[in-house]
Structures are given as structure tokens and as C-alpha cells.
Amino acid sequence: MTFLLLGDISQSTLDPAGVGAERIAELFHWMLSGGVLIWLIVVGLAVYSVTVPGRHRPRLTKTLVIGGGAVFPTLVLTSLLCYALAMLPALHQPAPKTGLTIDVSGVRWWWRIGYRTGENERVETANEVRLPVDQAVEFKLHSEDVIHSFWIPALGGKVDMIPGRETRLKLHPNRVGRFRGVCAEYCGTAHAQMAFDVIVMQQADFDQWLRDQQQDAREPAGEAAVRGRELFRRKGCGACHTIRGTDAGGRVGPDLTHFGGRLSLGAGIKTNDADNLRRWISRTHDVKPGVQMPAFKSLSDRELDSIVAYLEQLN
Ligand code: CUA
């Protein structure tokens, strides 16, 4: 269902949009065509050996067994290994010191994303990674609970996120677009629903976006949104969520300061719109079984509409 809904978003390693992914796709194509070729030769020989009449010459048989069974695989696997090893430095080159560094933390079951904007400053968002095109970016990966794995198939390889350790990944997107990232390590009930959006933008658009993210949440406009902010406070949502510029400073759940500007909700599983948000808040576990947020079933329709109105205008 998710794939149908988000079907227009690329999550394919075979449609690369980054330098690393291009190299990986290249390696895959070499291995695939080599594999197919060898398979054809082996099947051809097998067919030949059972269909050809008469006894086989022992000398030829011996040559085939040693040549085809030992020498040939050794040569092929050694050359593939050398080819793949030669690729590694390019994939693991450190990003330039002056470049963009993004902290990503895996949490059951969503992603905490932090952009370093100054010496000791960072701006936090969730489940959405925005990147400038044609620039190397370094991800510093952490986990707050269990082992997750950070993977944007269209941009490059995957790296595990291990509690108590920092792992790193360099990516270099070279095409503007919207892509899908996933958790590639089984981490519990909602593992398959732990995705995120990746939006690769032109540098100027990215700079503007990052400047906007640094701003505090906008003041609610309209009666419903004002009521929503008050309800958000009264119902205790701020114990888990931060909305910068208000007294909501919880760190358990995603930062919602610019929630309305995000493309999806629930960690990449639903389009971010009023209907989905209403369901998310009132029937959270129907939308995403295993999620740690409690469902707010006791809210009246009016209360729910107000909170939705407030959150959706936080762009
Ligand atoms: Cu996180 Cu699988």
C-alpha cells in the first residue's frame, strides 16, 4: 500500500541519483552480466555432457573439472574482488571539512535529523533529509535504542547505526528530485514503516530552506490554529515534542517546529495532509502498529480539527 501511495518516489538502486549509487549500480551490472554469461556456459556444458553420445575423453573431463571448477572461478572472483576494492576509496572519501554535515539518529521507529549550522548550533527536524545537488555531504549516524541501518538506495550504500557508536556515510547527490530512504536493518515491529523522504534541491533553494528551518515556529493564524496551539499545550503534547518558540520542548518524539512543511508523516508512510494527520493523532496504532506515541482517542472532533489546523500551518 505504502509503495502504491508513494509510487512516484524513486527508491531504486538501478536508477542512481548520486555518485556512490552510480558506482554500485555499475558493479551490479558487471556482476549480473558476468553471472549470466557464466551460467549460460555452465548450462551449455551440462547439456552437452548429457546429450553427447559415447564416452567422454578422460583428459578433457579432467581439464574441464580443474579449469572450470577451480581455475576459472578463482580468476573471476579475484578480478571482481579487485574491481570492487578499487571502488571503495571513492565511496568512502571524507567529505570536505567545509561541507555540510548532518547528524541522523535512528529511533524506534523514526529518524531524528540535525543540521549543523554553526560551531555549536544545530537545527533539528525529523524524517526528511534535504540536500543540495552536486555537493558532497557527510552523515554522522547514531542510534538511540537498537541497531538501525541508514539507506538511501538512489544515492548510495547503507551504513548501520549502532547504539553508543558513531558511524559515517558520505553521499554526493547529482540529480534534483525526491527519493525514499529506508531502515535496512530489522529493528522491531515497525521496521518496515521506518522510512524518510530525501529531497535533493538546487543550492539556492536548499540555503533558503535551511534558513527557514532555523526560524522559530510561526505564530498561529486563524481561530482554529490558535485554539490548536492551546490544546497542544494543555494535552501535554509538549512533553514529547518540541516546537521551537513555544514552551513545548520534549525530546522523545519528532521536533514539530516546521511540521507542516514536511511531505509525509509517520516516518515516510503517509502523505502529510489534514486527513492523515487526524487519523494519526486519534488512531495512531491503526496507522502504524507498534508506534510509541499514544493515540489521543478522547479528543472531540473539534479539538482534533484545531490541533490539526495548528500543526499543518507550521511550515
Ligand atoms: Cu530501524 Cu529497521
Side-chain angles (χ1 to χ4, degrees):
M1 189 62 181
T2 302
F3 288 102
L4 289 178
L5 277 171
L6 305 176
D8 56 331
I9 303 162
S10 172
Q11 190 195 316
S12 175
T13 49
L14 301 179
D15 183 20
V19 176
E22 278 172 358
R23 302 303 308 274
I24 293 168
E26 193 183 303
L27 177 64
F28 170 78
H29 285 121
W30 274 107
M31 291 179 79
L32 180 71
S33 32
V36 168
L37 188 67
I38 293 167
W39 183 80
L40 286 174
I41 295 172
V42 170
V43 170
L45 282 172
V47 170
Y48 170 76
S49 70
V50 293
T51 51
V52 81
R55 285 191 63 221
H56 297 288
R57 277 167 293 157
R59 185 126 175 249
L60 178 66
T61 318
K62 211 169 161 189
T63 315
L64 267 180
V65 170
I66 296 173
V71 179
F72 183 69
T74 308
L75 285 179
V76 170
L77 292 177
T78 309
S79 44
L80 268 180
L81 180 68
C82 294
Y83 176 63
L85 285 179
M87 222 172 237
L88 282 182
L91 293 177
H92 286 279
Q93 227 170 55
K97 282 251 178 306
T98 49
L100 185 61
T101 302
I102 304 174
D103 292 297
V104 183
S105 206
V107 191
R108 278 178 292 173
W109 285 274
W110 59 281
W111 310 83
R112 192 190 297 281
I113 320 266
Y115 285 81
R116 300 188 184 185
T117 49
E119 189 76 352
N120 288 312
E121 284 167 42
R122 59 177 237 160
V123 61
E124 200 164 282
T125 172
N127 305 321
E128 188 173 286
V129 173
R130 297 208 177 218
L131 302 171
V133 71
D134 292 325
Q135 210 205 103
V137 182
E138 185 166 53
F139 290 91
K140 297 199 168 164
L141 308 170
H142 315 259
S143 171
E144 297 180 18
D145 36 48
V146 297
I147 299 177
H148 303 274
S149 179
F150 181 82
W151 191 24
I152 309 170
L155 298 191
K158 63 182 97 128
V159 171
D160 275 5
M161 310 170 102
I162 303 161
R165 274 185 64 177
E166 180 184 273
T167 47
R168 293 173 184 221
L169 174 69
K170 191 199 74 169
L171 292 176
H172 194 145
N174 57 13
R175 177 153 59 86
V176 167
R178 181 178 173 190
F179 308 97
R180 190 164 186 266
V182 292
C183 178
E185 173 88 29
Y186 181 70
C187 54
T189 314
H191 155 73
Q193 292 182 311
M194 184 174 170
F196 57 101
D197 288 298
V198 181
I199 298 117
V200 179
M201 320 163 82
Q202 294 295 349
Q203 183 75 53
D205 298 337
F206 172 80
D207 293 341
Q208 183 59 49
W209 173 82
L210 192 55
R211 273 197 298 277
D212 292 345
Q213 292 295 304
Q214 288 169 264
Q215 305 299 316
D216 283 348
R218 62 152 68 186
E219 282 295 304
E223 200 191 317
V226 172
R227 205 166 45 235
R229 178 171 68 178
E230 178 52 23
L231 278 163
F232 188 92
R233 197 182 63 76
R234 261 200 355 243
K235 298 287 177 184
C237 307
C240 292
H241 296 285
T242 291
I243 295 183
R244 279 176 271 130
T246 74
D247 56 9
R251 298 270 307 149
V252 180
D255 184 306
L256 300 177
T257 308
H258 297 283
F259 170 79
R262 292 183 204 149
L263 300 180
S264 63
L265 60 81
I269 64 168
K270 294 282 174 199
T271 305
N272 183 7
D273 60 30
D275 283 344
N276 283 334
L277 182 57
R278 196 175 287 116
R279 281 194 68 214
W280 176 263
I281 297 171
S282 59
R283 289 157 53 199
T284 321
H285 300 92
D286 295 348
V287 183
K288 183 168 173 170
V291 67
Q292 316 244 343
M293 174 172 142
F296 285 75
K297 288 180 180 153
S298 60
L299 294 173
S300 70
D301 282 350
R302 187 163 180 263
E303 287 176 325
L304 201 50
D305 286 342
S306 306
I307 293 180
V308 168
Y310 171 54
L311 291 176
E312 286 295 349
Q313 52 90 60
L314 291 177
N315 52 17

